[in-house]
Amino acid sequence: MILAGRDRNRRIVFAVNGLAQDLGLRIGMPVTQAQALIPGLTVTDAEPMADMAGLERLALWALHRYAPIVAADPPDGLVIDATGAAHLLGGEAPMLHDIVARLGAVGVAARAAMADSWGAAHALARFVAKPMFLAPAGTSRDILLTLPIAALRLPAEMIAGLRRLGFERIGDLADQPRAPLALRFGPQLHRRLDQAFGTLAEAIEAARPPDLIEVRRNFAEPIGAAETIARYTGILVAELCTMLEAKGLGARRLDLVFHRVDAQSQAIRVGTALPVRNVKRLTRLLCDKIETIDPGFGIEIMTLCAARSEPFGPKQLTSLLADEPEADISDLIDTIANRVGGDRLYRFAPVASDVPERSLSRIAATAPPTKTNWPDHWPRPTRLLPNPEPIETVALLPDHPPVNFTWRGIRRRVKRADGPERVFGEWWKRDAELIAVRDYFRIEDDAGERFWVFRAGDGEDTATGSHRWFLHGIFG
């Protein structure tokens, strides 16, 4: 299938799906030629305006979720400046994975790349990523030299002209004298080349939703000192909190963007666990990250917006004068989460399951209590291993605990033991667990350390398990 549209008086191919591309169709070829090559080809009219509107909606989605500086990169891309924001998703690689996975979940096939510049990321996403590619810092130039010249965001006519002269790779252009090429093709060629190499700044026109709550400060003289930036950060936060209060909202995510005199932008993104409009608290969260900002030759504009806000109403702390107020640790949670990443800060909640590794789940640090209670009929270890680890044991079957066991190369003699606690498989989830059982024992070695071990199977019938022993948790 192809999408077709008009270029002056010609009807050309605007887009092709994977099968059509494998059959030799390409963007820009005449539709009549494509139909001649593939009889019965499905041709659908392209809708560039609708595509652009969808791309802008996608940019707003990425703005709310990933970074404070996001823009559409027509006709089929987004550019995201992840500086100062990637850590909130666990780092650059997890961020790329999350983008591709979330788009794929709704049927959008995406490729994502991260590099030192917009031009480099644009090229790597289209010519290298399968479906993701993360270029280590400082290596983008070397990778770009091996890519075709079509990766430089040049007009099709210019690419065709360069190919007629024998230029196929970006590396063929990089070492050529500039004056003759600029005389023939104009300044755009080397501008795109410098932007891809990161030697020429490229401003990003960030997407902004119409209902965004935002404050802005222009400076007659550029500023650069950290103390000055912190002072104006506090002023902007106070103005933003006043606007939030007027709307009955609290901030859940703030984006502070610094526009430098060299047309570059840098940003700070912080999030909160609960809606907040406390000026001191929000100022402190933002000021903690000022050290990550490079003011360059000076900052001429600062903008602060509430990228995410929620209703903020009064909260009753206690019902009786004698009641102790509940401790508010959300400020501590916000501080830690903005330093290490929100996905790394969580708490465990019980899940209705007898299988130990399924009996808990991760939830947000400030999530409300669940209705499921922790099991209290048998003691549980304070540390559960991610996966049960095999151990070598000496034990009598079918119901006796180990006499000794070897774990991670260390042989331990069992001094005390309690059990077994039999756990049955969840047959409604997997057929393999229909008759599977585990027998758990709490054991203590001669050094006083206590462990949680189990035998796979009932000790008699091999159909219930392998009868191998595993260590699953540690007490204390």
Side-chain angles (χ1 to χ4, degrees):
M1 185 183 76
I2 65 172
L3 297 180
R6 289 202 167 274
D7 180 20
R8 299 185 181 92
N9 295 326
R10 295 191 309 155
R11 197 158 183 255
I12 63 172
V13 176
F14 272 25
V16 298
N17 64 1
L19 180 58
Q21 191 172 20
D22 293 339
L23 293 173
L25 303 188
R26 67 183 187 278
I27 297 173
M29 70 186 309
V31 173
T32 52
Q33 181 182 353
Q35 290 174 320
L37 290 173
I38 305 177
L41 177 67
T42 302
V43 180
T44 304
D45 289 334
E47 299 179 6
M49 297 301 293
D51 290 342
M52 189 60 200
L55 197 60
E56 290 174 349
R57 290 194 299 270
L58 198 60
L60 293 179
W61 168 78
L63 173 70
H64 285 289
R65 178 157 189 86
Y66 295 112
I69 302 177
V70 180
D73 187 13
D76 59 356
L78 295 178
V79 55
I80 300 174
D81 186 347
T83 306
H87 73 283
L88 295 175
L89 290 165
E92 295 173 346
M95 181 179 181
L96 289 180
H97 182 273
D98 189 75
I99 292 171
V100 174
R102 287 184 179 275
L103 291 175
V106 295
V108 178
R111 291 180 291 178
M114 189 169 290
D116 298 328
S117 66
W118 176 358
H122 177 101
L124 296 176
R126 288 158 177 80
F127 292 88
V128 178
K130 295 181 180 179
M132 294 172 292
F133 185 81
L134 177 59
T139 64
S140 298
R141 180 187 176 95
D142 295 335
I143 301 172
L144 287 172
L145 293 177
T146 64
L147 299 184
I149 57 176
L152 285 176
R153 298 180 290 168
L154 297 172
E157 297 83 0
M158 188 180 297
I159 293 173
L162 289 168
R163 284 175 174 161
R164 283 194 296 270
L165 295 178
F167 297 106
E168 294 292 337
R169 302 284 172 182
I170 295 177
D172 300 337
L173 289 171
D175 298 327
Q176 293 295 320
R178 293 199 166 196
L181 290 174
L183 183 63
R184 178 160 184 172
F185 296 103
Q188 184 179 11
L189 173 60
H190 291 104
R191 182 170 67 249
R192 288 302 193 194
L193 195 63
D194 291 340
Q195 288 172 345
F197 290 158
T199 57
L200 180 63
E202 187 171 8
I204 299 176
E205 286 286 338
R208 282 291 182 265
D211 57 347
L212 186 69
I213 303 175
E214 184 178 39
V215 291
R216 180 187 184 99
R217 177 60 65 101
N218 297 338
F219 302 103
E221 294 291 335
I223 64 172
E227 297 80 5
T228 307
I229 296 173
R231 183 170 69 254
Y232 282 106
T233 298
I235 294 172
L236 290 175
V237 170
E239 295 176 3
L240 186 71
C241 287
T242 301
M243 297 175 65
L244 289 170
E245 185 175 6
K247 296 178 178 289
L249 300 173
R252 285 292 310 276
R253 183 176 295 153
L254 293 181
D255 292 338
L256 180 58
V257 182
F258 304 89
H259 303 273
R260 304 191 324 194
V261 295
D262 59 357
Q264 289 275 44
S265 296
Q266 296 198 1
I268 293 173
R269 166 166 283 190
V270 298
T272 62
L274 299 172
V276 176
R277 59 171 182 245
N278 183 290
V279 176
K280 290 184 178 180
R281 179 170 166 181
L282 294 175
T283 301
R284 185 176 69 254
L285 291 177
L286 291 168
C287 289
D288 284 346
K289 293 187 173 295
I290 287 179
E291 61 184 14
T292 65
I293 297 299
D294 176 15
F297 293 107
I299 296 168
E300 58 182 357
I301 302 173
M302 288 174 58
T303 59
L304 176 66
C305 70
R308 181 181 173 189
S309 57
E310 294 180 1
F312 183 88
K315 179 182 177 182
Q316 182 173 332
L317 298 179
T318 59
S319 58
L320 297 174
L321 293 177
D323 289 346
E324 288 289 334
E326 184 178 351
D328 183 7
I329 61 171
S330 60
D331 192 6
L332 174 63
I333 291 172
D334 294 342
T335 301
I336 298 175
N338 283 286
R339 289 179 181 175
V340 304
D343 62 328
R344 297 183 182 181
L345 191 64
Y346 53 85
R347 64 185 179 89
F348 288 113
V351 177
S353 175
D354 288 332
V355 181
E357 57 265 34
R358 299 175 187 162
S359 63
L360 49 85
S361 64
R362 294 182 180 183
I363 62 174
T366 56
T370 61
K371 296 181 179 180
T372 306
N373 296 321
W374 291 102
D376 56 2
H377 52 286
W378 283 94
R380 290 288 184 262
T382 54
R383 178 189 171 195
L384 196 68
L385 300 183
N387 297 295
E389 298 185 9
I391 57 176
E392 299 295 329
T393 65
V394 175
L396 294 174
L397 297 178
D399 296 325
H400 288 75
V403 176
N404 58 64
F405 68 97
T406 302
W407 176 51
R408 295 182 178 178
I410 300 177
R411 188 170 181 270
R412 304 170 186 268
R413 188 170 67 87
V414 177
K415 186 176 181 181
R416 297 184 182 87
D418 186 20
E421 173 194 354
R422 179 156 292 182
V423 174
F424 292 90
E426 296 176 338
W427 53 267
W428 58 92
K429 291 186 176 180
R430 294 195 309 162
D431 292 341
E433 299 184 27
L434 186 62
I435 58 173
V437 297
R438 296 178 184 175
D439 284 341
Y440 279 87
F441 293 85
R442 287 183 295 135
I443 61 177
E444 180 180 325
D445 66 6
D446 49 9
E449 294 184 86
R450 294 188 300 154
F451 305 91
W452 204 37
V453 301
F454 72 87
R455 182 189 61 237
D458 61 5
E460 297 178 333
D461 185 0
T462 56
T464 62
S466 64
H467 290 173
R468 295 183 60 194
W469 287 84
F470 298 85
L471 191 146
H472 204 171
I474 301 173
F475 292 89

